[in-house]
Amino acid sequence: MAHKFSVSALLLLAGSCVLSAAEKPLWTWQEPDTELYQPCFSPDSRAIALVRKKHIPDFAEAEMLSEEDRKKRTSPIEKDERYADPEVIVLKIGETTPSRVDWGWSPAFSPDGTSIAYAFQKKPISRFRILAETMAGNDIRLYHLTGKSTRVLAEPKTGYLDSPVFSPDGARIKYSLCDAVNGAYGGEVGAAEIALDGSPGSAPGSSAEKEDEESRGQFSPDSKLMVTITESGLEVVDRASEKAVQTMVLPGQVQGVAWSPDSRRLAVIFTQREGEIFHRDVLQVYSVQP
């Protein structure tokens, strides 16, 4: 599964510089025992689309829990096989109640803010790990925010589709072709695009251009600023002076970062744990001053 912002791409040396006082978030949102992924700002920077997923303990974490605790956390799946499936939601900044879009991953707003493209999670996945097999068949869909209608844009011939991205004019969507690449784990093997008016899209091809775009994801859209992950949270660095202009102290490990289109806001997701046990992911939005 491709992410909009790779944490490894953000691990850059901040250098020695004088930091401003730690910033306070404009807004914070969280739910207990819930993982958050892939934040994406709306074009007007007033809303965020993201993925939420109920946390199910696995690997070493599951072994640390008592049998009673494990059953308590997994028993809801017996009543609802989609209980811990990934769910695309939209949150207006400052509000607490999300609007639900669908089961899926990788939301992306259209340039006019009227629609969201996403990868639909076809198979119930709550009982399983995120592998190529459990993602197989995922297609690309378009959700209209006003009419609340959905249509399928592209379906995979093999594997699964992921990471839709609109063209600047909103007329086309590029997306990733994915399959098993590392044993049972999935990853990108190519790219394709589709026109929203039904005209022919380009043939599947290399994802090199998309990878290059993601490698630059730590830079603000206006290219004036850069965000780096530090031991205590985040720093925003002015690229011209190479000095840090803001610092965000976060009580958890950073999982994802997203810039607003106007480069004035920064969204970050970090994980809070109680010892080695997952507690929740937290979404915060910060104002960024150039």
Side-chain angles (χ1 to χ4, degrees):
M1 177 181 60
H3 290 268
K4 291 290 186 296
F5 291 91
S6 169
V7 169
S8 61
L10 294 171
L11 292 173
L12 306 174
L13 292 177
S16 59
C17 50
V18 178
L19 300 180
S20 61
E23 298 291 333
K24 294 183 179 180
L26 291 174
W27 173 69
T28 299
W29 187 84
Q30 60 206 6
E31 289 182 334
D33 297 318
T34 301
E35 302 168 11
L36 304 177
Y37 300 93
Q38 303 167 326
C40 172
F41 277 95
S42 61
D44 63 7
S45 304
R46 296 179 180 177
I48 292 179
L50 71 156
V51 176
R52 71 175 173 187
K53 183 182 184 298
K54 283 293 184 182
H55 179 74
I56 301 297
D58 198 1
F59 297 108
E61 182 189 17
E63 295 175 359
M64 294 179 185
L65 298 173
S66 66
E67 183 176 353
E68 182 180 355
D69 282 341
R70 287 196 298 270
K71 288 183 178 180
K72 180 179 179 181
R73 292 168 183 256
T74 59
S75 60
I77 302 175
E78 301 303 320
K79 298 179 180 179
D80 179 5
E81 65 177 355
R82 290 272 195 181
Y83 169 76
D85 276 19
E87 187 178 23
V88 176
I89 60 173
V90 179
L91 282 156
K92 292 182 179 180
I93 294 173
E95 299 186 4
T96 59
T97 304
S99 299
R100 184 182 185 276
V101 175
D102 204 348
W103 306 115
W105 306 95
S106 305
F109 278 97
S110 60
D112 62 7
T114 63
S115 303
I116 292 177
Y118 63 99
F120 174 69
Q121 178 59 46
K122 185 174 182 179
K123 298 179 180 179
I125 199 175
S126 296
R127 289 186 173 91
F128 308 103
R129 293 171 178 162
I130 302 171
L131 304 172
E133 181 181 357
T134 52
M135 304 280 277
N138 288 3
D139 54 45
I140 300 298
R141 301 192 177 191
L142 186 70
Y143 177 78
H144 293 279
L145 291 165
T146 302
K148 302 186 184 302
S149 61
T150 303
R151 66 179 172 119
V152 178
L153 297 179
E155 298 179 284
K157 294 181 179 179
T158 61
Y160 62 98
L161 308 181
D162 197 10
S163 304
V165 178
F166 281 90
S167 61
D169 62 4
R172 310 178 80 83
I173 291 177
K174 297 180 69 173
Y175 55 90
S176 299
L177 308 174
C178 302
D179 214 327
V181 295
N182 182 20
Y185 291 94
E188 189 177 41
V189 297
E193 69 174 41
I194 187 170
L196 297 186
D197 64 3
S199 61
S202 64
S206 169
S207 60
E209 179 182 348
K210 188 178 188 305
E211 290 174 352
D212 184 54
E213 289 175 355
E214 289 193 352
S215 72
R216 300 193 301 267
Q218 68 270 20
F219 300 126
S220 60
D222 64 8
S223 300
K224 295 180 180 180
L225 302 171
M226 176 175 66
V227 61
T228 68
I229 293 176
T230 67
E231 292 183 359
S232 61
L234 298 175
E235 287 178 1
V236 177
V237 178
D238 178 79
R239 296 182 67 195
S241 65
E242 298 184 352
K243 292 183 178 181
V245 294
Q246 285 179 265
T247 178
M248 295 83 167
V249 177
L250 306 172
Q253 182 179 1
V254 175
Q255 303 295 339
V257 177
W259 284 98
S260 64
D262 60 6
S263 302
R264 301 299 299 272
R265 289 181 170 182
L266 194 63
V268 58
I269 291 171
F270 59 89
T271 297
Q272 292 184 324
R273 298 180 180 275
E274 296 179 348
E276 297 298 320
I277 305 301
F278 179 92
H279 180 44
R280 61 190 172 193
D281 280 345
V282 179
L283 169 68
Q284 290 188 334
V285 174
Y286 289 84
S287 176
V288 177
Q289 303 299 326

